[in-house]
Coordinates of all heavy atoms in Angstrom, one line a residue:
M1 N 147.5 89.6 123.4 CA 148.0 88.9 124.5 C 149.5 88.9 124.2 O 150.1 88.7 123.1 CB 147.6 87.5 124.4 CG 148.0 86.7 125.6 SD 147.7 84.9 125.6 CE 145.8 85.0 125.8
R2 N 150.3 89.2 125.3 CA 151.8 89.3 125.1 C 152.5 87.9 125.2 O 151.9 87.1 125.7 CB 152.4 90.2 126.3 CG 152.0 91.6 126.2 CD 152.5 92.4 127.3 NE 152.3 91.7 128.6 CZ 152.8 92.2 129.7 NH1 153.5 93.2 129.8 NH2 152.6 91.5 130.9
V3 N 153.6 88.0 124.7 CA 154.5 86.7 124.9 C 155.0 86.8 126.2 O 155.6 87.8 126.7 CB 155.6 86.6 123.7 CG1 156.5 85.6 124.0 CG2 154.9 86.6 122.4
L4 N 155.1 85.7 127.1 CA 155.6 85.5 128.3 C 156.9 84.7 128.3 O 156.8 83.6 127.7 CB 154.6 84.9 129.3 CG 153.4 85.8 129.4 CD1 152.5 84.9 130.3 CD2 153.6 87.0 130.0
V5 N 158.0 85.2 128.6 CA 159.3 84.4 128.6 C 159.7 84.2 129.9 O 159.9 85.2 130.7 CB 160.4 85.2 127.7 CG1 161.7 84.3 127.7 CG2 159.8 85.5 126.3
A6 N 160.0 83.0 130.4 CA 160.5 82.6 131.6 C 161.8 81.9 131.4 O 162.1 81.5 130.4 CB 159.5 81.9 132.5
R7 N 162.3 81.5 132.6 CA 163.7 80.7 132.4 C 163.4 79.4 131.7 O 164.3 79.1 130.9 CB 164.2 80.4 133.9 CG 165.6 80.0 133.9 CD 166.2 79.8 135.2 NE 165.4 79.0 136.2 CZ 165.5 77.7 136.2 NH1 166.4 77.0 135.5 NH2 164.7 77.0 137.1
L8 N 162.4 78.7 131.9 CA 162.2 77.3 131.4 C 161.3 77.3 130.2 O 161.2 76.2 129.6 CB 161.9 76.3 132.4 CG 162.8 76.2 133.6 CD1 162.2 75.2 134.6 CD2 164.1 75.4 133.0
L9 N 160.5 78.5 129.8 CA 159.5 78.2 128.8 C 159.2 79.6 128.3 O 159.4 80.6 128.9 CB 158.3 77.5 129.3 CG 157.6 77.9 130.4 CD1 156.5 79.0 130.1 CD2 157.0 76.8 131.1
V10 N 158.5 79.5 127.1 CA 157.9 80.7 126.5 C 156.4 80.3 126.2 O 156.1 79.3 125.8 CB 158.5 81.1 125.1 CG1 157.9 82.1 124.5 CG2 160.0 81.4 125.4
L11 N 155.5 81.3 126.7 CA 154.0 81.2 126.4 C 153.6 82.2 125.3 O 154.1 83.4 125.6 CB 153.2 81.3 127.6 CG 153.5 80.4 128.8 CD1 152.6 80.6 130.0 CD2 153.2 79.0 128.3
E12 N 153.0 81.8 124.3 CA 152.7 82.9 123.4 C 151.2 82.4 122.9 O 150.8 81.2 122.9 CB 153.4 83.0 122.3 CG 153.7 81.7 121.3 CD 154.6 82.0 120.2 OE1 155.8 82.2 120.4 OE2 154.2 81.8 119.0
A13 N 150.4 83.5 122.6 CA 149.0 83.2 122.3 C 148.8 82.2 121.2 O 149.6 82.3 120.1 CB 148.4 84.6 121.9
Q14 N 148.1 81.3 121.3 CA 147.8 80.1 120.3 C 147.0 80.7 119.1 O 145.9 81.2 119.4 CB 147.2 78.9 120.9 CG 147.1 77.8 120.1 CD 146.5 76.6 121.0 OE1 147.0 76.3 122.0 NE2 145.5 76.0 120.4
V15 N 147.5 80.6 118.0 CA 146.7 81.0 116.7 C 146.8 80.1 115.7 O 147.6 79.1 115.8 CB 147.4 82.4 116.3 CG1 147.1 83.5 117.2 CG2 148.8 82.4 115.9
V16 N 146.1 80.3 114.6 CA 146.1 79.3 113.5 C 147.4 79.0 113.0 O 147.8 77.9 112.5 CB 145.1 79.8 112.4 CG1 145.2 78.9 111.2 CG2 143.6 79.8 113.0
A17 N 148.3 79.9 112.9 CA 149.7 79.9 112.4 C 150.5 78.7 113.2 O 151.5 78.3 112.5 CB 150.4 81.2 112.4
H18 N 150.0 78.4 114.3 CA 150.7 77.2 115.1 C 150.2 75.9 114.7 O 150.7 75.0 115.3 CB 150.5 77.5 116.6 CG 151.0 78.7 117.1 ND1 150.3 79.7 117.7 CD2 152.4 79.1 117.4 CE1 151.2 80.6 118.2 NE2 152.3 80.3 117.9
A19 N 149.2 75.8 113.9 CA 148.6 74.6 113.5 C 149.5 73.5 113.2 O 149.4 72.3 113.6 CB 147.5 74.7 112.5
E20 N 150.4 73.7 112.3 CA 151.3 72.7 111.8 C 152.2 72.0 112.9 O 152.3 70.8 113.1 CB 152.2 73.2 110.6 CG 152.9 72.1 109.9 CD 153.7 72.6 108.7 OE1 153.2 73.5 108.0 OE2 154.6 72.0 108.3
A21 N 152.8 73.0 113.6 CA 153.6 72.6 114.9 C 152.8 71.9 115.9 O 153.2 70.7 116.4 CB 154.5 73.7 115.4
M22 N 151.6 72.3 116.1 CA 150.8 71.7 117.2 C 150.3 70.4 116.6 O 150.0 69.5 117.5 CB 149.7 72.7 117.5 CG 150.2 73.8 118.4 SD 151.2 73.4 119.7 CE 150.1 72.5 120.8
F23 N 150.1 70.3 115.3 CA 149.6 68.9 114.8 C 150.5 67.9 115.1 O 150.2 66.7 115.6 CB 149.3 69.1 113.3 CG 149.0 67.8 112.6 CD1 147.8 67.2 113.0 CD2 149.7 67.3 111.7 CE1 147.3 66.0 112.3 CE2 149.2 66.1 111.0 CZ 148.1 65.5 111.4
E24 N 151.8 68.3 114.9 CA 152.8 67.2 115.2 C 153.0 66.8 116.8 O 153.0 65.7 117.2 CB 154.2 67.7 114.8 CG 154.3 67.9 113.3 CD 154.1 66.5 112.5 OE1 154.4 65.6 113.0 OE2 153.4 66.7 111.5
V25 N 152.7 67.9 117.7 CA 152.7 67.6 119.1 C 151.5 66.7 119.5 O 151.7 65.7 120.2 CB 152.7 68.9 119.9 CG1 152.5 68.7 121.3 CG2 154.1 69.7 119.7
L26 N 150.4 67.1 118.9 CA 149.1 66.4 119.3 C 149.1 65.0 118.8 O 148.5 64.1 119.5 CB 147.9 67.1 118.8 CG 147.7 68.6 119.5 CD1 146.6 69.4 118.8 CD2 147.4 68.5 120.9
R27 N 149.7 64.8 117.6 CA 149.6 63.4 117.2 C 150.5 62.5 118.0 O 150.3 61.2 118.1 CB 150.3 63.3 115.7 CG 149.3 63.8 114.8 CD 149.6 63.6 113.3 NE 151.1 63.5 113.1 CZ 151.6 63.2 112.0 NH1 150.9 62.7 110.9 NH2 152.9 63.2 111.8
A28 N 151.6 63.0 118.6 CA 152.5 62.2 119.4 C 152.0 61.9 120.8 O 152.6 61.0 121.4 CB 153.9 63.0 119.5
L29 N 151.0 62.6 121.2 CA 150.5 62.4 122.5 C 149.2 61.4 122.5 O 148.5 61.3 121.6 CB 150.0 63.7 123.1 CG 151.2 64.9 123.2 CD1 150.6 66.0 123.6 CD2 152.0 64.3 124.3
A30 N 149.2 60.7 123.7 CA 148.1 59.9 124.0 C 147.0 60.7 124.9 O 147.2 60.8 126.0 CB 148.5 58.7 124.9
L31 N 146.2 61.5 124.1 CA 145.2 62.3 124.8 C 143.9 61.8 125.0 O 143.0 62.5 125.3 CB 145.2 63.7 123.9 CG 146.5 64.4 123.6 CD1 146.2 65.6 122.8 CD2 147.0 64.9 124.9
D32 N 143.7 60.5 124.8 CA 142.4 59.9 124.8 C 141.6 60.2 126.2 O 140.4 60.5 126.1 CB 142.5 58.4 124.7 CG 142.9 58.0 123.3 OD1 142.8 58.8 122.4 OD2 143.4 56.9 123.1
A33 N 142.4 60.3 127.4 CA 141.5 60.5 128.5 C 141.0 62.0 128.6 O 139.9 62.2 129.3 CB 142.5 60.4 129.8
F34 N 141.5 63.0 128.0 CA 141.0 64.3 128.2 C 140.5 64.9 126.9 O 139.6 65.7 126.9 CB 142.1 65.2 128.8 CG 142.6 64.8 130.2 CD1 143.7 64.1 130.3 CD2 141.8 65.0 131.3 CE1 144.1 63.6 131.6 CE2 142.1 64.6 132.5 CZ 143.4 63.9 132.6
E35 N 141.2 64.7 125.8 CA 141.0 65.5 124.5 C 140.2 64.7 123.6 O 139.9 65.0 122.5 CB 142.3 65.9 123.9 CG 143.0 67.0 124.9 CD 142.3 68.4 124.7 OE1 141.6 68.6 123.8 OE2 142.4 69.2 125.7
G36 N 140.1 63.4 123.8 CA 139.6 62.5 122.8 C 140.7 62.0 122.0 O 141.8 61.9 122.4
K37 N 140.5 61.5 120.8 CA 141.5 61.0 119.9 C 142.4 62.1 119.4 O 142.0 63.2 119.2 CB 140.8 60.3 118.7 CG 140.0 59.1 119.2 CD 139.4 58.4 118.0 CE 138.7 57.1 118.5 NZ 137.8 56.5 117.5
P38 N 143.6 61.8 119.0 CA 144.4 62.7 118.5 C 143.9 63.3 117.1 O 143.1 62.6 116.6 CB 145.8 61.9 118.1 CG 145.7 60.9 119.2 CD 144.3 60.5 119.4
P39 N 144.3 64.4 116.7 CA 143.6 65.0 115.5 C 143.9 64.1 114.3 O 144.9 63.5 114.1 CB 144.4 66.3 115.3 CG 145.7 66.2 116.1 CD 145.5 65.2 117.3
T40 N 143.0 64.1 113.4 CA 143.0 63.2 112.2 C 143.7 64.0 111.1 O 144.1 63.3 110.0 CB 141.6 62.8 111.7 OG1 140.7 64.0 111.6 CG2 140.9 62.0 112.8
S41 N 143.7 65.4 111.1 CA 144.3 66.1 110.0 C 144.8 67.4 110.4 O 144.4 68.0 111.5 CB 143.3 66.3 108.9 OG 142.4 67.1 109.2
L42 N 145.6 68.0 109.6 CA 146.2 69.4 109.9 C 145.0 70.2 109.7 O 144.9 71.3 110.5 CB 147.3 69.7 108.9 CG 147.9 71.1 109.0 CD1 148.3 71.4 110.3 CD2 149.0 71.2 108.0
D43 N 144.1 70.1 108.8 CA 142.9 70.9 108.6 C 142.1 70.9 109.9 O 141.6 72.1 110.3 CB 142.0 70.6 107.4 CG 142.7 71.0 106.1 OD1 143.6 71.9 106.2 OD2 142.4 70.5 105.1
A44 N 141.9 69.8 110.7 CA 141.1 69.7 111.8 C 141.8 70.6 112.9 O 141.1 71.3 113.6 CB 141.0 68.4 112.4
V45 N 143.1 70.6 113.0 CA 143.8 71.4 114.0 C 143.6 73.0 113.6 O 143.4 73.7 114.4 CB 145.3 71.1 114.1 CG1 146.0 72.0 115.0 CG2 145.5 69.6 114.5
R46 N 143.8 73.2 112.2 CA 143.5 74.6 112.0 C 142.2 75.2 112.3 O 142.0 76.2 112.8 CB 143.7 74.8 110.3 CG 145.1 74.8 110.0 CD 145.2 75.1 108.4 NE 146.6 75.0 108.1 CZ 147.1 74.1 107.2 NH1 146.3 73.3 106.6 NH2 148.4 74.1 107.0
A47 N 141.2 74.3 112.1 CA 139.7 74.7 112.4 C 139.5 74.9 113.8 O 138.9 75.9 114.3 CB 138.8 73.7 111.8
R48 N 140.2 73.9 114.6 CA 140.0 74.2 116.2 C 140.7 75.4 116.6 O 140.2 76.2 117.4 CB 140.7 73.0 116.8 CG 140.7 73.1 118.3 CD 141.4 71.8 119.0 NE 141.5 72.0 120.4 CZ 140.9 71.6 121.3 NH1 139.6 71.0 121.0 NH2 141.1 71.9 122.6
L49 N 142.0 75.7 116.1 CA 142.8 76.9 116.5 C 142.0 78.2 116.1 O 142.0 79.2 116.7 CB 144.2 76.9 116.0 CG 144.9 75.7 116.6 CD1 146.4 75.9 116.2 CD2 144.9 75.6 118.1
R50 N 141.4 78.1 114.9 CA 140.7 79.2 114.4 C 139.4 79.5 115.3 O 139.2 80.7 115.7 CB 140.1 79.0 113.0 CG 139.5 80.2 112.3 CD 139.2 79.9 110.8 NE 140.5 79.9 110.1 CZ 140.9 78.6 109.5 NH1 140.2 77.5 109.7 NH2 142.0 78.6 108.9
R51 N 138.8 78.5 115.8 CA 137.7 78.7 116.8 C 138.2 79.4 118.1 O 137.5 80.2 118.7 CB 136.9 77.4 117.2 CG 136.0 77.0 116.0 CD 135.1 75.8 116.4 NE 135.8 74.7 116.9 CZ 136.3 73.6 116.3 NH1 136.3 73.7 115.0 NH2 137.0 72.7 116.9
L52 N 139.3 78.8 118.6 CA 139.9 79.3 119.9 C 140.4 80.7 119.7 O 140.5 81.3 120.8 CB 140.9 78.2 120.3 CG 140.5 76.8 120.5 CD1 141.7 76.0 120.9 CD2 139.5 76.8 121.7
E53 N 140.7 81.3 118.6 CA 141.3 82.6 118.5 C 140.3 83.6 119.0 O 140.8 84.8 119.4 CB 141.7 82.9 117.0 CG 143.1 82.3 116.7 CD 143.4 82.8 115.3 OE1 142.8 83.6 114.8 OE2 144.5 82.3 114.9
S54 N 139.0 83.3 119.2 CA 138.2 84.3 119.7 C 138.3 84.7 121.2 O 138.0 85.8 121.6 CB 136.7 83.9 119.6 OG 136.5 82.9 120.5
R55 N 139.0 83.7 121.9 CA 139.3 83.9 123.3 C 138.1 84.0 124.2 O 138.2 84.4 125.3 CB 140.3 85.2 123.5 CG 141.4 85.3 122.6 CD 142.6 84.4 123.1 NE 143.7 84.7 122.2 CZ 144.2 83.8 121.4 NH1 143.7 82.5 121.3 NH2 145.3 84.0 120.7
R56 N 136.9 83.5 123.6 CA 135.7 83.5 124.3 C 135.0 82.3 124.1 O 135.1 81.6 123.1 CB 134.8 84.7 123.9 CG 135.1 86.0 124.2 CD 134.7 86.4 125.6 NE 135.2 87.7 126.0 CZ 135.2 88.1 127.3 NH1 134.9 87.2 128.3 NH2 135.7 89.2 127.6
S57 N 134.2 81.8 125.2 CA 133.4 80.7 125.0 C 132.3 81.0 124.0 O 132.0 82.1 123.8 CB 132.7 80.2 126.3 OG 131.9 81.4 126.9
P58 N 131.6 80.1 123.4 CA 130.6 80.2 122.3 C 129.5 81.1 122.9 O 129.0 81.9 122.2 CB 130.2 78.9 122.1 CG 131.4 78.0 122.1 CD 131.9 78.6 123.5
D59 N 129.1 81.0 124.2 CA 128.1 81.8 124.7 C 128.6 83.2 125.3 O 127.8 84.0 125.7 CB 127.3 81.1 125.8 CG 128.1 80.8 127.1 OD1 129.3 81.2 127.1 OD2 127.5 80.1 127.9
G60 N 129.9 83.4 125.2 CA 130.4 84.8 125.5 C 130.6 85.0 127.1 O 131.0 85.9 127.6
T61 N 130.3 83.8 127.9 CA 130.4 84.0 129.4 C 131.8 83.7 130.0 O 132.0 84.0 131.2 CB 129.4 83.1 130.1 OG1 129.7 81.7 129.8 CG2 127.9 83.5 129.6
E62 N 132.7 83.1 129.2 CA 134.0 82.8 129.7 C 135.0 83.3 128.8 O 134.8 83.4 127.6 CB 134.2 81.3 129.8 CG 133.2 80.6 130.8 CD 133.4 79.1 130.6 OE1 133.8 78.5 129.6 OE2 132.9 78.4 131.5
Q63 N 136.1 83.7 129.4 CA 137.3 84.2 128.7 C 138.3 82.9 128.7 O 138.4 82.2 129.6 CB 138.1 85.3 129.4 CG 139.3 85.8 128.6 CD 139.8 87.0 129.3 OE1 139.6 87.3 130.4 NE2 140.7 87.6 128.5
R64 N 138.7 82.6 127.4 CA 139.5 81.4 127.2 C 140.9 81.9 126.7 O 141.0 82.4 125.6 CB 138.9 80.5 126.3 CG 137.5 79.9 127.0 CD 136.9 78.8 126.2 NE 135.8 78.4 126.9 CZ 134.8 77.5 126.4 NH1 135.0 77.2 125.1 NH2 133.9 77.1 127.2
L65 N 141.9 81.5 127.3 CA 143.3 82.0 127.0 C 144.1 80.7 126.7 O 144.2 79.8 127.6 CB 144.0 82.8 128.3 CG 143.1 83.8 128.8 CD1 143.8 84.4 130.1 CD2 142.9 84.9 127.8
H66 N 144.5 80.5 125.5 CA 145.1 79.4 125.0 C 146.6 79.8 124.5 O 146.7 80.6 123.7 CB 144.4 78.8 123.8 CG 142.9 78.5 124.1 ND1 142.6 77.3 124.7 CD2 141.8 79.2 124.1 CE1 141.3 77.2 124.9 NE2 140.8 78.3 124.6
C67 N 147.5 79.2 125.0 CA 148.9 79.5 124.7 C 149.8 78.3 124.3 O 149.5 77.2 124.9 CB 149.7 80.2 126.0 SG 148.9 81.8 126.4
V68 N 150.6 78.4 123.3 CA 151.5 77.4 123.0 C 152.7 77.5 124.0 O 153.1 78.6 124.5 CB 152.1 77.3 121.6 CG1 150.8 77.1 120.6 CG2 152.8 78.6 121.2
V69 N 153.3 76.3 124.3 CA 154.5 76.3 125.1 C 155.7 76.1 124.3 O 155.6 75.0 123.6 CB 154.4 75.3 126.3 CG1 155.5 75.2 127.1 CG2 153.1 75.6 127.0
R70 N 156.7 76.9 124.4 CA 158.1 76.7 123.7 C 159.1 76.5 124.9 O 159.0 77.4 125.7 CB 158.3 77.8 122.7 CG 157.3 78.0 121.6 CD 157.8 79.1 120.7 NE 156.8 79.6 119.7 CZ 156.8 79.1 118.6 NH1 157.7 78.2 118.2 NH2 156.0 79.5 117.7
P71 N 160.1 75.7 124.6 CA 161.2 75.8 125.5 C 162.1 76.9 125.5 O 162.7 77.3 126.5 CB 162.0 74.5 125.2 CG 161.5 74.1 123.9 CD 160.2 74.7 123.7
A72 N 162.0 77.7 124.4 CA 162.8 78.8 124.4 C 162.3 79.7 123.0 O 161.5 79.1 122.1 CB 164.4 78.6 124.0
P73 N 162.5 81.0 123.0 CA 162.0 81.7 121.8 C 162.3 81.2 120.5 O 163.6 80.8 120.3 CB 162.6 83.2 122.1 CG 162.9 83.2 123.6 CD 163.2 81.9 124.0
G74 N 161.4 81.0 119.6 CA 161.7 80.5 118.3 C 161.8 79.1 118.2 O 161.8 78.5 117.1
E75 N 161.8 78.3 119.3 CA 161.9 76.8 119.2 C 160.5 76.3 118.9 O 159.5 76.9 119.1 CB 162.4 76.2 120.6 CG 164.0 76.4 120.7 CD 164.5 75.6 121.7 OE1 164.0 74.5 122.1 OE2 165.6 76.0 122.2
V76 N 160.4 75.1 118.5 CA 159.2 74.4 118.1 C 158.3 74.3 119.4 O 158.8 73.9 120.5 CB 159.5 73.0 117.5 CG1 158.2 72.2 117.3 CG2 160.3 73.1 116.3
P77 N 157.0 74.4 119.3 CA 156.1 74.3 120.4 C 156.1 72.9 121.0 O 156.3 71.9 120.2 CB 154.7 74.5 119.9 CG 155.0 75.5 118.8 CD 156.3 75.0 118.2
V78 N 156.1 72.6 122.3 CA 156.2 71.3 122.9 C 154.8 71.0 123.6 O 154.7 70.0 124.3 CB 157.4 71.2 123.8 CG1 158.6 71.3 122.9 CG2 157.3 72.1 124.9
G79 N 153.8 72.0 123.5 CA 152.5 71.7 124.2 C 151.8 72.9 124.2 O 152.0 73.9 123.6
Y80 N 150.7 73.0 125.2 CA 149.9 74.1 125.3 C 149.4 74.2 126.8 O 149.4 73.3 127.5 CB 148.7 74.1 124.3 CG 147.8 73.0 124.5 CD1 146.7 73.0 125.4 CD2 147.9 71.8 123.7 CE1 145.8 71.9 125.6 CE2 147.1 70.8 123.8 CZ 146.0 70.9 124.7 OH 145.1 69.8 124.8
V81 N 149.0 75.4 127.1 CA 148.3 75.8 128.3 C 147.0 76.4 128.0 O 147.0 77.4 127.1 CB 149.2 76.7 129.1 CG1 148.5 77.2 130.5 CG2 150.6 76.1 129.5
H82 N 146.0 76.0 128.7 CA 144.6 76.7 128.6 C 144.2 77.1 129.9 O 144.4 76.5 131.0 CB 143.6 75.7 128.0 CG 143.8 75.2 126.7 ND1 142.9 74.3 126.0 CD2 144.7 75.6 125.7 CE1 143.3 74.1 124.8 NE2 144.5 74.8 124.6
A83 N 143.6 78.4 129.9 CA 143.1 78.9 131.1 C 141.7 79.4 130.7 O 141.5 80.2 129.8 CB 143.9 80.0 131.8
T84 N 140.8 78.9 131.5 CA 139.4 79.4 131.3 C 139.0 80.2 132.6 O 139.1 79.7 133.6 CB 138.3 78.2 131.2 OG1 138.8 77.4 129.9 CG2 137.0 78.6 131.0
V85 N 138.5 81.6 132.3 CA 138.2 82.4 133.3 C 136.7 82.5 133.3 O 136.2 82.9 132.3 CB 139.0 83.8 133.4 CG1 138.4 84.6 134.4 CG2 140.4 83.6 133.2
R86 N 135.9 82.0 134.4 CA 134.5 82.2 134.4 C 134.0 83.5 134.7 O 134.8 84.3 135.3 CB 134.0 81.1 135.3 CG 134.4 79.6 134.9 CD 133.9 78.5 135.9 NE 134.3 77.3 135.4 CZ 135.3 76.5 135.8 NH1 136.1 77.1 136.8 NH2 135.6 75.3 135.3
G87 N 132.8 83.7 134.7 CA 132.2 85.0 135.0 C 132.2 85.4 136.3 O 132.3 86.7 136.7
D88 N 132.4 84.5 137.2 CA 132.6 84.7 138.7 C 134.0 84.9 139.1 O 134.2 85.1 140.3 CB 131.8 83.7 139.5 CG 132.5 82.3 139.4 OD1 133.6 82.3 138.7 OD2 132.0 81.4 140.0
G89 N 134.9 84.9 138.1 CA 136.2 85.2 138.4 C 137.2 83.9 138.7 O 138.3 83.9 138.9
R90 N 136.4 82.8 139.0 CA 137.2 81.5 139.2 C 137.8 81.1 137.9 O 137.3 81.4 136.7 CB 136.2 80.3 139.6 CG 135.7 80.6 141.0 CD 134.7 79.5 141.4 NE 133.6 79.3 140.5 CZ 133.3 78.1 140.1 NH1 133.7 77.0 140.6 NH2 132.3 78.0 139.3
A91 N 138.8 80.4 137.9 CA 139.6 79.9 136.7 C 140.0 78.5 136.7 O 140.2 77.9 137.8 CB 140.9 80.8 136.5
A92 N 140.0 77.9 135.6 CA 140.5 76.4 135.4 C 141.7 76.5 134.5 O 141.7 77.2 133.4 CB 139.3 75.6 134.9
I93 N 142.8 75.8 134.9 CA 143.9 75.8 134.1 C 144.2 74.4 133.8 O 144.3 73.5 134.6 CB 145.1 76.5 134.9 CG1 144.8 78.0 135.2 CG2 146.5 76.4 134.0 CD1 145.7 78.6 136.0
A94 N 144.7 74.2 132.5 CA 145.2 72.8 132.1 C 146.4 73.0 131.3 O 146.5 74.1 130.5 CB 144.0 72.1 131.3
D95 N 147.2 72.0 131.3 CA 148.3 72.0 130.3 C 148.6 70.5 129.8 O 148.1 69.6 130.2 CB 149.7 72.5 131.1 CG 150.0 71.5 132.1 OD1 149.6 71.6 133.3 OD2 150.9 70.5 131.8
V96 N 149.2 70.7 128.6 CA 149.5 69.3 127.9 C 150.9 69.5 127.4 O 151.2 70.6 126.6 CB 148.6 69.1 126.7 CG1 149.0 67.9 125.9 CG2 147.1 68.8 127.3
L97 N 151.7 68.7 127.8 CA 153.2 68.7 127.2 C 153.6 67.5 126.5 O 153.2 66.4 127.0 CB 154.2 68.9 128.4 CG 154.0 70.4 129.1 CD1 155.0 70.3 130.2 CD2 154.5 71.4 128.1
A98 N 154.3 67.5 125.4 CA 154.9 66.3 124.9 C 155.7 65.5 125.9 O 156.3 66.1 126.8 CB 155.8 66.6 123.8
P99 N 155.6 64.3 125.8 CA 156.3 63.4 126.7 C 157.9 63.7 126.9 O 158.3 63.6 127.9 CB 156.2 61.9 126.1 CG 154.9 62.0 125.3 CD 154.8 63.4 124.8
S100 N 158.4 64.2 125.8 CA 159.8 64.6 125.9 C 160.1 65.7 126.8 O 161.1 66.0 127.2 CB 160.4 64.9 124.5 OG 159.7 65.9 123.9
H101 N 159.1 66.5 127.2 CA 159.2 67.6 128.1 C 158.5 67.6 129.3 O 158.6 68.6 130.1 CB 158.8 68.9 127.2 CG 159.7 69.4 126.2 ND1 159.9 68.7 125.0 CD2 160.8 70.3 126.3 CE1 160.9 69.1 124.4 NE2 161.4 70.2 125.1
Q102 N 157.9 66.4 129.6 CA 157.3 66.1 130.9 C 158.3 65.9 131.9 O 159.4 65.3 131.7 CB 156.3 65.1 130.9 CG 155.1 65.4 130.0 CD 154.2 64.3 129.7 OE1 154.3 63.1 130.3 NE2 153.2 64.4 128.8
G103 N 158.0 66.3 133.2 CA 159.0 66.0 134.3 C 160.1 66.9 134.4 O 161.2 66.6 135.0
R104 N 160.2 68.0 133.7 CA 161.2 69.0 133.7 C 161.0 70.1 134.6 O 161.8 71.1 134.5 CB 161.6 69.4 132.3 CG 162.0 68.3 131.4 CD 162.4 69.0 130.0 NE 163.1 68.0 129.2 CZ 163.6 68.3 128.1 NH1 163.5 69.6 127.6 NH2 164.2 67.4 127.4
G105 N 159.8 70.2 135.3 CA 159.5 71.3 136.1 C 158.9 72.4 135.4 O 158.9 73.6 135.9
L106 N 158.5 72.3 134.3 CA 157.8 73.3 133.4 C 156.5 73.7 134.0 O 156.0 74.8 134.0 CB 157.7 72.9 131.9 CG 158.8 72.6 131.1 CD1 158.5 72.2 129.7 CD2 159.7 73.9 131.1

């Protein structure tokens, strides 16, 4: 997956190496409505990102694209975007941004 650079953000494939930065983002967010409780540990985030690196659902029927969002190349991630592409070609897209970056038109 390539890195996508736009005027207001950078999307790059989410990998285990992002765990530390994403742990900080996820701890700061109130994700109870969608994601459950914020992560309890850095190891929990690493384990989740390791599972997501396959880019496939556990049953292999969906492609799952997970990207971290950065405001500019090399800056700390401020959230993530997930796209799930189903076998019939339909897609579901979700994003989570740190409160400090919400409302900026990203």
Side-chain angles (χ1 to χ4, degrees):
M1 186 182 297
R2 296 182 309 177
V3 173
L4 302 173
V5 180
R7 186 174 62 84
L8 295 175
L9 58 86
V10 175
L11 298 178
E12 63 184 59
Q14 186 173 310
V15 295
V16 173
H18 293 116
E20 190 169 328
M22 291 308 297
F23 179 59
E24 295 304 319
V25 170
L26 296 172
R27 283 191 333 168
L29 296 171
L31 299 177
D32 293 336
F34 298 102
E35 296 284 334
K37 296 179 182 175
T40 57
S41 70
L42 178 55
D43 285 337
V45 175
R46 283 187 183 115
R48 177 181 168 96
L49 297 187
R50 192 170 291 111
R51 285 190 308 273
L52 296 175
E53 280 186 4
S54 72
R55 311 282 184 246
R56 290 274 176 204
S57 61
D59 66 6
T61 62
E62 298 175 338
Q63 185 176 13
R64 295 184 175 169
L65 309 172
H66 304 272
C67 296
V68 296
V69 176
R70 297 179 189 272
E75 288 194 22
V76 175
V78 296
Y80 61 85
V81 175
H82 290 184
T84 299
V85 182
R86 297 181 178 99
D88 63 5
R90 292 181 302 139
I93 300 172
D95 66 271
V96 173
L97 292 173
S100 61
H101 286 76
Q102 294 174 5
R104 293 183 173 190
L106 298 178

